[in-house]
Amino acid sequence: GAGVSQSPSNKVTEKGKDVELRCDPISGHTALYWYRQSLGQGLEFLIYFQGNSAPDKSGLPSDRFSAERTGGSVSTLTIQRTQQEDSAVYLCASSQDKNYGYTFGSGTRLTVV
Amino acid sequence: AQSVTQLGSHVSVSEGALVLLRCNYSSSVPPYLFWYVQYPNQGLQLLLKYTSAATLVKGINGFEAEFKKSETSFHLTKPSAHMSDAAEYFCAVIESGGGADGLTFGKGTHLIIQP
């Protein structure tokens, strides 16, 4: 597609439930990133995929968070046993090369009630 | 390690006035630097980037930024503010060369345009 697509755009879930967030990167972009944007906290790096290499998971805040990228394209971020502090906008970005910058999706707004 | 500091969580200017949003970075290797803009309920849009070419970088919507190594700064400017410039602006850094680090963002500056 022409841009990075994320779904759903909004998700309301009950505390303790699992959620899956999806990201479709730009075709041909080998790098894919997940960020979390919380009110007053700026943008927090979560995880990075580059081609077929093992992902950099250093930003994941707890073991309740996991992500996978199938076939070097679509990525799914999974949050298990959601907590209220997980409420945030989750942004996905893809890149052809860091020289060119990153293209962001519109994000998924997650609300845990 | 890399980090970004944006001075001022909120900046207010009058329409037609100069816009100056400050960004300072730290990086152990030559950095690549970016400015992104975020309009309400939207993702981040790249305004401009510095990747070791010209130190004065021109971006979209009349914005520009100058990389000053001696000051470790990458301030964003626009000569004349427009109402449509009201948004959140993020400065970001990534280390050039190899490595798996993602972009590190500043906490953002909310630009308010007064009529």
Side-chain angles (χ1 to χ4, degrees), chain B residues 10-15 81 85-87 89 109-114:
Chain B
H10 291 77
V11 170
S12 180
V13 302
S14 299
E15 190 175 17
D85 294 327
Y89 291 79
T109 298
H110 185 64
L111 178 62
I112 301 162
I113 310 296
Q114 304 282 2

Side-chain angles (χ1 to χ4, degrees), chain A:
Chain A
V4 177
S5 177
Q6 290 187 248
S7 61
S9 55
N10 281 282
K11 176 73 175 179
V12 179
T13 190
E14 292 182 352
K15 178 181 173 181
K17 300 283 189 182
D18 297 352
V19 295
E20 284 189 353
L21 312 179
R22 177 187 170 104
C23 173
D24 280 280
I26 291 174
S27 178
H29 280 193
T30 58
L32 187 148
Y33 303 81
W34 283 97
Y35 287 85
R36 178 167 69 175
Q37 186 176 24
S38 305
L39 191 62
Q41 297 297 318
L43 284 136
E44 176 187 7
F45 166 73
L46 296 178
I47 189 169
Y48 163 67
F49 296 89
Q50 174 61 56
N52 296 319
S53 302
D56 176 2
K57 304 178 181 180
S58 59
L60 294 178
S62 78
D63 59 8
R64 297 186 295 104
F65 288 72
S66 62
E68 63 178 20
R69 188 178 185 191
T70 54
S73 181
V74 172
S75 177
T76 302
L77 176 69
T78 301
I79 308 173
Q80 296 178 310
R81 306 181 302 283
T82 52
Q83 304 294 312
Q84 287 187 327
E85 60 262 28
D86 299 335
S87 296
V89 176
Y90 290 81
L91 291 165
C92 176
S94 71
S95 176
Q96 170 182 344
D97 183 277
K98 64 174 71 176
N99 282 328
Y100 297 95
Y102 300 57
T103 302
F104 281 81
S106 297
T108 294
R109 181 176 298 277
L110 176 66
T111 304
V112 181
V113 298

Side-chain angles (χ1 to χ4, degrees), chain B residues 56-96:
Chain B
L56 181 62
V57 181
K58 294 185 184 299
I60 62 172
N61 301 339
F63 284 93
E64 62 182 39
E66 186 172 8
F67 170 67
K68 292 187 176 180
K69 183 179 178 180
S70 61
E71 299 178 7
T72 60
S73 69
F74 191 58
H75 302 330
L76 181 70
T77 61
K78 181 174 181 177
S80 177
H82 192 272
M83 296 299 291
S84 61
D85 294 327
E88 191 84 13
Y89 291 79
F90 293 93
C91 182
V93 64
I94 189 169
E95 294 183 348
S96 61

